[in-house]
Amino acid sequence: LALSGVRPYIALVARFDPSKGMPNAMAAYALAREKMLRRGLAMARIPQLLIVGNGSADDPDGVPVLSEIMRLRSSTYRHIMDDVKVARVPANDIAINAVVHNSKLIIQPSTKEGFESRVTDAILQGKPVIGSRRGGIPLQIVSGRSGFVIDPEDTDAWAEHMCELMVNDVY
């Protein structure tokens, strides 16, 4: 996994699971990237998308979800494929915290969720989080202060918040 140059990145850290909203995140990122280009953001400041995940031995969805993400990356998002990085990593809190720490912002577009530890990790590290309005995530984010809470299917709202955070360098 190699991130190009020293460009910033947006991270989504989650299990490869249908409920984590990874396809929606990819769609929102592609739209946000277009918006940033239209607003004149220099390529050096346009973030890459880093999807970092793992599976578990008792979770049959991990491999099919990862396969779908890789298929989308090489087909639907082929034109930006070099800016969409996907890594399957073993559970490793030190590595995951390094990913969060070095990110520009964190996204969690889950369609179902309990208390999301990665949201709290990001907030504690001072990273803005754009999180889903579903499950426990809205209880963790103070909208407008530590991030934003929006519907996981509202791709345009996700893209707009990503764009605003990157263009205005709010955090």
Side-chain angles (χ1 to χ4, degrees), residues 97-144:
N97 279 328
V99 166
V100 171
H101 178 76
N102 290 298
S103 69
K104 190 70 174 168
L105 69 107
I106 298 294
I107 56 174
Q108 287 294 334
S110 302
T111 57
K112 296 183 220 176
E113 195 63 73
F115 182 85
E116 177 50 59
S117 61
R118 297 302 167 208
V119 168
T120 297
D121 292 344
I123 291 169
L124 288 173
Q125 291 188 43
K127 302 299 175 179
V129 179
I130 303 172
S132 170
R133 189 177 307 281
R134 306 273 171 84
I137 294 173
L139 301 173
Q140 297 171 263
I141 298 170
V142 177
S143 201

Side-chain angles (χ1 to χ4, degrees), residues 65-171:
V65 169
L66 175 58
S67 295
E68 176 63 9
I69 295 306
M70 296 307 287
R71 185 194 68 73
L72 286 170
R73 181 178 175 268
S74 63
S75 61
T76 305
Y77 304 109
R78 181 180 182 90
H79 63 293
I80 59 170
M81 188 167 111
D82 290 342
D83 279 352
V84 178
K85 310 298 185 183
V86 181
R88 183 176 185 197
V89 298
N92 180 323
D93 288 336
I94 294 170
I96 296 302
N97 279 328
V99 166
V100 171
H101 178 76
N102 290 298
S103 69
K104 190 70 174 168
L105 69 107
I106 298 294
I107 56 174
Q108 287 294 334
S110 302
T111 57
K112 296 183 220 176
E113 195 63 73
F115 182 85
E116 177 50 59
S117 61
R118 297 302 167 208
V119 168
T120 297
D121 292 344
I123 291 169
L124 288 173
Q125 291 188 43
K127 302 299 175 179
V129 179
I130 303 172
S132 170
R133 189 177 307 281
R134 306 273 171 84
I137 294 173
L139 301 173
Q140 297 171 263
I141 298 170
V142 177
S143 201
R145 288 193 54 205
S146 56
F148 299 96
V149 177
I150 50 185
D151 190 272
E153 284 88 20
D154 190 346
T155 304
D156 192 58
W158 283 83
E160 189 58 36
H161 283 297
M162 283 186 234
C163 186
E164 285 299 317
L165 288 167
M166 296 307 297
V167 169
N168 297 327
D169 203 20
V170 176
Y171 289 87

Side-chain angles (χ1 to χ4, degrees), residues 32-44:
R33 192 177 182 283
E34 288 175 22
K35 288 177 181 243
M36 287 180 238
L37 285 169
R38 281 195 307 267
R39 292 182 189 178
L41 194 63
M43 186 55 78

